[in-house]
Amino acid sequence: MMKLVFLGAPGAGKGTQAGGVAEALKIPHISTGDMFRAALGNETPVGLKAKAYMDKGELVPDSVTIEMVDERLKQADCENGYLLDGFPRTIAQAEALDQIMAPDCVVNLDVPEEILMGRLTGRRVCGSCKGTFAISRLSDPTTCPTCGGELIHRKDDQPETIKERLQVYHQDTEPLIGYYQNQNKLLNVPSVGDPQDVNNAILTALEGKA
Ligand code: AMP
């Protein structure tokens, strides 16, 4: 049983790392960004509410986001815990999560600011398996090397929107580092270099915490 939160700026590697770590710990990987993108694709009421905020790189209002996560955490697969990726992103969301099902551990993926911009502009996402790839490492920038699906340049990975998302991160999300430090739940993991090494560092940091 492990209730885990991944914290970090856009481009810190949350999505890249969360899949493998969730699999290793046998807990569901819950990405609010992926949930919003799926809702948008299906044109659900939540998706329609979220669209304008996502397009601008702003946060979807807390009320909408918290309700969506609350419903998700009530599903049977969360009985063994969860790995939340991209939630909470505000103090109000963290306080709500403490009421719903408080995390045991919070991994902060730490990346120097100057690296983030390059990672985000060069990022491509698979439309099928949702894998994330750096364009610099791809021989064919349009095809997913894992599943053969089509690679997409996310609309909110354009330079202007990225700037807004980084600003929102500093203003609304970075204070969560102190919030969880005060609760003695924070594990700081540098997220630079080989993704597999970062994955190992996360699992080592989590050893004995479950
Ligand atoms: P991500 O894939 O995590 O970068 O999320 C993409 C977009 O979805 C964000 O820029 C927000 O507009 C929205 N979003 C995802 N998670 C949250 C959250 N916890 N609170 C508010 N908005 C969110």
Side-chain angles (χ1 to χ4, degrees):
M1 173 77 167
M2 166 84 78
K3 291 167 286 177
L4 191 58
V5 163
F6 270 17
L7 213 59
K14 297 189 295 295
T16 301
Q17 295 299 334
V21 171
E23 204 174 314
L25 299 175
K26 299 187 173 58
I27 49 178
H29 168 206
I30 302 172
S31 153
T32 44
D34 283 349
M35 288 173 83
F36 280 132
R37 280 183 288 278
L40 200 69
N42 295 326
E43 296 184 355
T44 69
V46 166
L48 297 175
K49 269 186 225 163
K51 182 179 181 344
Y53 300 98
M54 294 176 76
D55 283 350
K56 281 189 276 186
E58 293 172 4
L59 294 182
V60 178
D62 283 336
S63 55
V64 178
T65 310
I66 290 167
E67 195 182 327
M68 180 176 80
V69 171
D70 185 30
E71 274 176 31
R72 180 67 187 83
L73 291 178
K74 283 184 182 136
Q75 289 175 22
D77 62 338
C78 296
E79 274 169 17
N80 288 327
Y82 57 70
L83 193 168
L84 278 169
D85 153 16
F87 182 95
R89 260 174 154 104
T90 64
I91 294 283
Q93 291 179 12
E95 288 172 348
L97 182 62
D98 279 345
Q99 299 295 320
I100 300 167
M101 213 182 176
D104 308 307
C105 275
V106 176
V107 172
N108 181 47
L109 295 174
D110 201 6
V111 178
E113 179 86 22
E114 61 272 19
I115 294 183
L116 295 172
M117 192 74 182
R119 275 200 191 170
L120 291 165
T121 47
R123 175 162 86 172
R124 296 294 180 273
V125 182
C126 175
S128 303
C129 75
K130 312 297 174 203
T132 307
F133 305 94
I135 198 167
S136 57
R137 297 189 188 205
L138 295 168
S139 51
D140 173 1
T142 59
T143 309
C144 175
T146 308
C147 78
E150 187 193 354
L151 291 179
I152 295 162
H153 191 185
R154 266 171 57 174
K155 200 173 167 186
D156 60 351
D157 278 347
Q158 312 292 337
E160 274 317 300
T161 323
I162 292 170
K163 271 188 209 145
E164 174 66 22
R165 290 165 64 210
L166 289 173
Q167 217 163 356
V168 167
Y169 166 76
H170 288 303
Q171 188 184 310
D172 295 326
T173 309
E174 213 170 24
L176 293 177
I177 295 176
Y179 179 90
Y180 286 120
Q181 220 155 20
N182 288 340
Q183 293 191 356
N184 262 326
K185 291 180 179 173
L186 197 79
L187 296 168
N188 215 46
V189 178
S191 181
V192 284
D194 185 343
Q196 189 56 50
D197 293 342
V198 177
N199 183 275
N200 293 340
I202 295 169
L203 290 174
T204 303
L206 286 172
E207 253 166 43
K209 300 277 180 190

